[in-house]
Amino acid sequence: MTKLFDAGEIFVTQGVQEKVDTGYVALFVKRHLSGDFGELDDEDFAVNTLAMRQGGSIHSVYDSPQGKVWVITSGSKTSQVYTTVLLPEEY
């Protein structure tokens, strides 16, 4: 998988640490950074594509055996880039 943007510092929430296997977390981050945003509709995919070009938050949604997992990269074109892996209920 080719990385399309920088993850910056990666944070994994407590809920994900407690419920989701670390192998899934690593896979979802790799997919996210390669532009495979998981289960997004066409409109959200277009928003991510624009954010990769112009800056902004990039969102992904994946299914794990333990439920949905979100991956969000904020500040994709700034010096303060960070990526958070979280459960939807932690947003």
Side-chain angles (χ1 to χ4, degrees):
M1 291 184 217
T2 302
K3 187 170 105 171
L4 300 179
F5 55 93
D6 184 32
E9 190 167 357
I10 298 175
F11 300 95
V12 180
T13 63
Q14 184 173 349
V16 171
Q17 290 177 34
E18 292 173 355
K19 295 181 181 178
V20 182
D21 181 272
T22 56
Y24 283 105
V25 173
L27 175 63
F28 296 157
V29 170
K30 283 182 183 179
R31 288 176 59 187
H32 175 75
L33 296 176
S34 72
D36 172 357
F37 304 124
E39 299 183 29
L40 293 185
D41 60 26
D42 291 342
E43 183 178 339
D44 289 332
F45 187 88
V47 169
N48 277 354
T49 301
L50 185 63
M52 284 191 301
R53 280 189 264 141
Q54 296 182 352
S57 293
I58 301 169
H59 302 251
S60 295
V61 178
Y62 305 101
D63 271 325
S64 78
Q66 296 77 28
K68 299 263 187 223
V69 175
W70 291 1
V71 181
I72 302 173
T73 298
S74 299
S76 65
K77 292 285 186 183
T78 71
S79 62
Q80 298 294 325
V81 178
Y82 60 92
T83 297
T84 306
V85 183
L86 67 157
L87 303 175
E89 59 267 24
E90 294 178 300
Y91 188 73

